[in-house]
Amino acid sequence: MNAKDIIQPKVAALLPIYDRGNVTIFLTGDGEKVIIRKTCKTVLKNLARHYNVDLVAARKNCGRLLNKKLQVPIPLTSKILLIPVKFREKPLGKNDGALGYLNFFQIKEINEAKRRKCIVSFDNGVKIKVPITRETMEEYLKNARMVESIFLRDDISEHNNAVLPEERPAEIIYECICSEARNAVEAVLNETFAGIPPFR
């Protein structure tokens, strides 16, 4: 799978996991799960660079609108509005980070789960359990709707959705998981996505 194959599908989520390091699951709008061997923070920066978005300015402007400094939704395009969500309860390393990013436009519904968690269902049929309450997640969605109404109007320019030319490798993807490595992370993927077991 090359870089264009990963950039073109709709972005559903960026989720941090551990697999021979601190890596990212790129969940596409089609439900495909691709391992990117970079941190969520790095993938987010490169995704923003691809769409010519200044993350600092985006967070500042949206934070001012919401009167918030943390968990501020990040608008990248008219179809990508990323909601920062706590995904890891206990990061192993001090700088590993706990946040994942869910695309507001790909979320279908939110359901309550046990132990102050909730289940996020995407349009692609994938469900994930996140360690925050349904009420908190609904608050995040409300904030995202406000950002959408102000920063992502219907007349937004579509130039940001252009695919990178062939001669310029995309910075978003550095190393995709190979077929041999898929077996090594199968247990992680099953634990995260398949019957939605509790976090450890």
Side-chain angles (χ1 to χ4, degrees), residues 93-179:
K94 180 179 179 181
N95 298 315
D96 283 357
L99 295 180
Y101 298 87
L102 313 182
N103 186 359
F104 169 73
F105 296 111
Q106 293 288 313
I107 295 175
K108 182 178 182 180
E109 62 181 5
I110 309 296
N111 291 294
E112 191 171 353
K114 296 179 180 179
R115 299 181 181 179
R116 298 181 61 79
K117 297 179 175 65
C118 70
I119 296 173
V120 178
S121 300
F122 294 90
D123 290 334
N124 58 24
V126 173
K127 299 180 180 182
I128 63 171
K129 181 183 285 185
V130 293
I132 60 174
T133 65
R134 179 181 178 182
E135 290 75 17
T136 298
M137 190 66 218
E138 292 289 356
E139 181 71 18
Y140 291 169
L141 292 178
K142 183 179 75 172
N143 291 338
R145 290 188 193 97
M146 188 176 299
V147 169
E148 177 198 14
S149 67
I150 300 299
F151 293 102
L152 297 178
R153 300 182 187 279
D154 292 337
D155 60 351
I156 188 171
S157 172
E158 293 294 332
H159 76 278
N160 284 339
N161 290 321
V163 177
L164 291 177
E166 289 288 351
E167 63 271 17
R168 180 187 171 199
E171 294 91 354
I172 180 179
I173 184 67
Y174 289 84
E175 178 186 356
C176 295
I177 189 169
C178 61
S179 58

